[in-house]
Amino acid sequence: MKTVALLALVGCAASASAFTINFVNKCGFTVWPAVGKAPYGQPDPSVAFGTTLNPGQSASFGVDDQAIGIRAWGRTGCNASGANCQTGACNGGLVCTDAGITSGVILSEYGYGDFGQYGGQRTAWDLSHVDASINIDTQLSSSDGQSVLCRASNCPADQAYDSSTDYAADRNSPLGQTFTHTFCP
Ligand SMILES: *[C@@H]1O[C@H](CO)[C@@H](O)[C@H](O)[C@H]1NC(C)=O
């Protein structure tokens, strides 16, 4: 009986887990990555991350597996405080206060989904440049082996949303993945 109780406990702990967004800057210039939360387009500043990545640097941020409306993108040409960015700008400074809802650039998106009999609880994810510019060539890979790639020079519809009904760009993975968001892959 003790073994059964222990397994149940481990099961509970696993359900309150996180996925990880790992930013990698392979560009020859500085990128200021940002993460925000805006379910149904409504900014929720309870999830916000921002940092500075010089060429070759990387940084990670953990997000609750049950969250929806998570968005991550890269900013360029910011000032020394991480504000006044030329692309991908948001309200706030190094850490955005508006989830970058008007950033106007390619982003990665993540959200909890229960696929029921078709796979249970998963993270749905994608790249999207709907009504937005491709300010930085971007690759998004999940630790289960899936990967999408969007370059300004070539960004097929099955790699990134270019209209809001482009479902060919949709991907999903088991909870708890590490997603690697690479700038200039
Ligand atoms: C960067 O821009 C912000 C917003 O205009 C300003 O408040 C801040 O002082 C600037 N930082 C530097 C180091 O110039």
Side-chain angles (χ1 to χ4, degrees):
M1 287 306 287
K2 272 189 177 151
T3 307
V4 171
L6 182 63
L7 284 175
L9 197 63
V10 169
C12 284
S15 71
S17 67
F19 68 87
T20 302
I21 304 172
N22 181 33
F23 296 99
V24 176
N25 183 13
K26 293 190 176 173
C27 302
F29 49 85
T30 301
V31 176
W32 286 260
V35 179
K37 179 179 183 180
Y40 310 106
Q42 298 302 309
D44 170 357
S46 69
V47 177
F49 172 78
T51 192
T52 306
L53 289 185
N54 292 321
Q57 291 186 323
S58 59
S60 290
F61 181 67
V63 179
D64 189 304
D65 265 341
Q66 311 281 319
I68 61 169
I70 300 297
R71 30 195 293 122
W73 71 103
R75 298 165 286 178
T76 64
C78 309
N79 74 7
S81 313
N84 268 349
C85 306
Q86 284 167 8
T87 71
C90 62
N91 287 321
L94 184 60
V95 178
C96 302
T97 54
D98 65 346
I101 205 74
T102 59
S103 63
V105 294
I106 185 169
L107 70 160
S108 56
E109 303 180 299
Y110 312 84
Y112 170 82
D114 190 339
F115 291 72
Q117 61 178 308
Y118 304 104
Q121 303 179 73
R122 298 176 73 82
T123 302
W125 56 277
D126 60 77
L127 286 177
S128 172
H129 62 105
V130 178
D131 299 326
S133 69
I134 301 169
N135 66 329
I136 310 173
D137 291 356
T138 302
Q139 182 173 39
L140 184 63
S141 305
S142 59
S143 48
D144 65 352
Q146 300 180 76
S147 191
V148 290
L149 173 62
C150 174
R151 295 188 190 280
S153 61
N154 181 20
C155 187
D158 66 350
Q159 301 292 294
Y161 276 86
D162 63 8
S163 83
S164 54
T165 52
D166 245 357
Y167 299 110
D170 263 343
R171 299 292 186 275
N172 64 81
S173 297
L175 300 183
Q177 300 292 305
T178 294
F179 295 97
T180 301
H181 183 134
T182 305
F183 303 114
C184 305

